[in-house]
Amino acid sequence: MMYRLVARTRRGLKEVGNKGFTTPTTITTTTTTTSSFSFNPSRSSHSLLPFATVEPDDISKSHPAHVHNFVLGKWINSSTTTTTTNTIPDPLNGDPFINVHEVNQNGIKPFIQSLSNCPKHGLHNPFKSPERSSLPLTALTISLAPFFPFLTFLFSLPFLLTHSYLTYGDVSVKAAHMLSQNKVADFFTRLIQRVAPKSYQQAHAEVYVTQKFLENFGGDQVRFLARSFGVPGNHLGQQSNGFRWPYGPVAIITPFNFPLEIPVLQLMGALYMGNKPVLKVDSKVSLVMEQMMRLLHYCGMPLEDVDFINSDGKTMNKLLMEAEPRMTLFTGSSRVAEKLALDLKGRIKLEDAGFDWKVLGPDVNEVDYVAWTCDQDAYACSGQKCSAQSILFVHENWSKTPLLSKLEELAGRRKLEDLTIGPVLTLTTADMLDHKNKLLQIPGSKLLFGGEELENHQIPVVYGAIKPTAIYVPLEEILKEENYKLVTREIFGPFQVITEYADKQLPLVLDCLNKMDAHLTAAVVSKDPHFLQDVIGNTVNGTTYAGLRARTTGAPQNHWFGPAGDPRGAGIGTPEAIKLVWSCHREVIYDHGPVTKNWEVPPST
C-alpha cells in the first residue's frame, strides 16, 4: 500500500520556530491508494526555481536524482576512475531513486589542493579582508548579461567592492529572503521529506529555523561576530587587543536526520569567521544540501569558498588525514567521533550522540500538555533526533494521573500515511525489536506500548519500521552494573525507556543521569524552584530546558544547542556557538612607545 499526501504550503502553518513543535492550522492530509508515493499533486510547482536541478515530486526509480560534487569553484562530472555511484533506496518503498556520485580514494586530490589553497589565517580575518563583490555575478546576473551588458560593467565598479564579513552578511540576507518565499520553502520541505521522511510540519520547521538563522546574521551581524576588545597596557603606547581568528582550512561532517538545518548552520558559521570548509553530508540525504549549495551560489556565495564532497567514510577519513584541516566539526555517532578525535589529534569539535533524559518533578500540573510534550520529544521524526527523549523519570505522584495512558493514546495516533511515524534510517526493524527483547529480560520490566513492526508498509529491510515504543524498567535495575549500558544505549528511533522514582530516590536518579557519557539535552518538568535548582545544579547537560513546558527537543536559532562537560563539545546556532566552534582567540599587543627620554641599556637580568 502506498500513500499520497496533500499538504498546504507555508501559509497553512502556524510556526513557533523550533524542530519539535509546529502547530498545523489549515493543513489538509488525505490518504489514497496509488502506485507511487507522492508529496505534491502539482508536478510542476517548483519548475521555475532558478537554482534547482530536481523536482522533489519527480524523484523516483524511473527519474532518479543525481548528486554531484563541487570543488575548486565548479561542479565536477562523475568519472569511473575517481567516483563510484552509490544508489540510494527510497526509504518508503525500497526502489532505487537517488544516484550519489561518491568520490573514491583516487579522486580526493582536488579537494586536498583546494584546502591547501587556504592559508592558516583564513580567507578573511580582522586584519586581512580580501575585497570581494558584495553583489557578485550570480547565476541570475550571468543569465541576464547578454540582454543587459551594463550589468557586467556595473559589478566591476570599485565602489561595489567590500570586505568578506559584509559579503556574507549580504549572502545571508538574500538566502533568508529566498527561503522565506513559499515556493522555495515548500521545495526544501518536500525534498527533506523525500530523503528523510518526517511529517510536513517537522520538515518545514527545519526550513524555518534555517531561514531565521540566515535572517539573524544578515547585514552587519557577521562582522559583529569578530568584535574585538582592548585592555590598557603598562605604559604609554601599550595596549593589548583580543581578536577572534579563523582556523583557515576546515572540514564539516553532518548526519542524515536534519539534512538542511545542521549543515547550513555549521557551514555558514565557518564562512562567517573566515574559514574555507569542505562539507560532507550523509549520502542518504546529501541531495538536500547539494540543492542548497546551488541556492547559496545563486545568492552570491563566492564559488571558491566551499567544497562539497560525497564519499564513503574511509575516503573521507583519508581526505582528512592527508589534507590536515586545522579544525573539523563532526555531528554524528559517538563511535566515529572518538575515532576522529584520535586520528585528528584533537583538532575537532563534536556534537555526537545523546541519550537524553526528562525528569518529571513531584508537582503534577497540566497532564495533557506534559503528555503531549513527551510524545513529541520521543516520537516526532520517528525519534531520529539527537535531542530525542530517550528516558523518562516519572515521580510517583504522576502515577496517580492518566499520564501513561495519554502517552500511549498520543503515540497511537501516529501513522505512516502522514509520516508522523516512518522509516528509521540507521537501524533495522530486527535491531530495535532485539533491543526490546533484551530490555524485557530485566526483572520487573514490561512493555507499556508498541514493540511491534509497522503494519502494511513497504519500507526496505535495510531500514527500520516499528511502532512508537515505551518500556518500563525499575530504577534500581537500571542502576545495576549489568543493566546500565543496555538500558542507556541510544536507539535512534521511536523508542524510550520509562521509570518511576519516589522523593527519597532523587539521589539515585541524579546518579543515573551523571553516569551517562553523553550530555546533550535534558528537561526538568516542574514549577518548584527548589526542585529545579537541585536537579540543574547536580547535572551537566549542555541544553537543559526547565519548567512546566520543558522539553528535550528543539534546536531553534535563538538559543545555544550543544553538549556540555566535554572540551570538544560543539554548539550551533548562536553567536557564542559560532565563535566557539569556528574561531580561536588571538591577542595582539601594541607597544608603540615612546621610549623614555635619556633611556639607557639596563644591566642584564
Side-chain angles (χ1 to χ4, degrees), residues 21-180:
F21 300 88
T22 53
T23 304
T25 53
T26 61
I27 290 180
T28 60
T29 303
T30 63
T31 305
T32 61
T33 303
T34 182
S35 59
S36 63
F37 195 104
S38 175
F39 290 90
N40 196 323
S42 174
R43 306 294 289 180
S44 60
S45 61
H46 304 119
S47 59
L48 298 179
L49 294 181
F51 62 87
T53 61
V54 298
E55 294 283 350
D57 310 313
D58 289 342
I59 302 171
S60 64
K61 181 179 179 179
S62 58
H63 295 93
H66 291 265
V67 184
H68 297 284
N69 301 280
F70 188 87
V71 65
L72 293 170
K74 61 182 180 181
W75 294 101
I76 57 176
N77 295 324
S78 61
S79 163
T80 56
T81 58
T82 59
T83 63
T84 304
T85 300
N86 180 5
T87 300
I88 307 297
D90 189 323
L92 292 166
N93 61 27
D95 288 344
F97 80 137
I98 299 175
N99 292 320
V100 182
H101 300 284
E102 294 186 340
V103 174
N104 59 36
Q105 295 189 20
N106 296 323
I108 63 175
K109 286 184 179 179
F111 294 90
I112 296 172
Q113 176 191 340
S114 184
L115 284 180
S116 69
N117 290 343
C118 178
K120 293 180 180 179
H121 41 80
L123 297 176
H124 60 264
N125 63 52
F127 283 72
K128 184 199 77 170
S129 298
E131 290 182 333
R132 308 180 192 177
S133 170
S134 64
L135 296 171
L137 291 174
T138 64
L140 178 63
T141 311
I142 294 171
S143 66
L144 293 177
F147 306 101
F148 302 99
F150 73 90
L151 284 176
T152 303
F153 168 74
L154 180 66
F155 278 90
S156 68
L157 294 180
F159 71 83
L160 287 177
L161 298 177
T162 185
H163 295 117
S164 296
Y165 293 111
L166 302 191
T167 298
Y168 276 104
D170 290 343
V171 171
S172 295
V173 167
K174 296 169 187 173
H177 173 68
M178 289 289 287
L179 288 180
S180 72

Side-chain angles (χ1 to χ4, degrees), residues 229-472:
F229 64 85
V231 178
N234 291 329
H235 50 257
L236 181 62
Q238 186 185 74
Q239 185 183 62
S240 61
N241 295 87
F243 297 94
R244 298 311 300 178
W245 214 255
Y247 291 104
V250 299
I252 303 170
I253 304 172
T254 63
F256 75 92
N257 55 330
F258 286 92
L260 181 72
E261 181 180 341
I262 294 176
V264 170
L265 269 60
Q266 294 292 13
L267 174 67
M268 298 308 291
L271 291 167
Y272 292 158
M273 300 311 295
N275 302 290
K276 176 184 174 65
V278 56
L279 171 65
K280 180 195 181 310
V281 180
D282 189 310
S283 292
K284 291 190 292 291
V285 301
S286 59
L287 175 62
V288 176
M289 198 58 206
E290 191 227 44
Q291 296 297 298
M292 187 65 192
M293 283 278 292
R294 296 177 188 275
L295 181 146
L296 290 170
H297 290 154
Y298 180 79
C299 292
M301 182 176 76
L303 297 179
E304 69 277 9
D305 281 10
V306 181
D307 298 325
F308 178 72
I309 186 171
N310 300 286
S311 73
D312 61 20
K314 289 183 179 180
T315 300
M316 189 63 191
N317 190 262
K318 182 178 175 65
L319 171 61
L320 294 176
M321 297 300 289
E322 295 189 14
E324 297 184 320
R326 303 299 299 171
M327 214 288 291
T328 294
L329 179 282
F330 175 79
T331 305
S333 76
S334 294
R335 179 185 60 81
V336 177
E338 294 300 332
K339 181 187 186 303
L340 287 176
L342 292 174
D343 289 347
L344 301 176
K345 301 177 182 178
R347 294 192 301 270
I348 194 167
K349 287 288 186 182
L350 305 174
E351 200 265 273
D352 54 355
F355 189 83
D356 305 299
W357 50 264
K358 179 183 288 181
V359 175
L360 305 187
D363 50 320
V364 176
N365 295 282
E366 302 290 348
V367 175
D368 286 344
Y369 183 86
V370 172
W372 174 77
T373 306
C374 288
D375 172 73
Q376 285 289 105
D377 282 344
Y379 305 127
C381 297
S382 300
Q384 296 173 102
K385 299 184 183 185
C386 54
S387 57
Q389 177 181 299
S390 299
I391 187 167
L392 177 64
F393 295 85
V394 180
H395 190 277
E396 60 183 0
N397 290 348
W398 289 84
S399 300
K400 304 168 187 176
T401 73
L403 174 73
L404 294 183
S405 62
K406 289 181 178 293
L407 186 55
E408 180 178 5
E409 179 184 346
L410 290 165
R413 299 189 308 172
R414 297 183 174 275
K415 54 187 182 294
L416 184 59
E417 289 88 342
D418 60 6
L419 296 179
T420 50
I421 194 69
V424 174
L425 301 189
T426 56
L427 293 167
T428 66
T429 301
D431 290 334
M432 291 183 283
L433 295 182
D434 180 62
H435 184 68
K436 176 205 73 170
N437 293 332
K438 288 178 179 178
L439 287 177
L440 291 177
Q441 293 175 15
I442 297 173
S445 65
K446 59 183 177 181
L447 179 67
L448 297 177
F449 53 83
E452 298 177 341
E453 185 172 354
L454 292 175
E455 300 168 351
N456 301 320
H457 72 84
Q458 295 183 18
I459 295 169
V461 293
V462 295
Y463 298 140
I466 70 166
K467 296 178 180 179
T469 298
I471 293 179
Y472 172 83

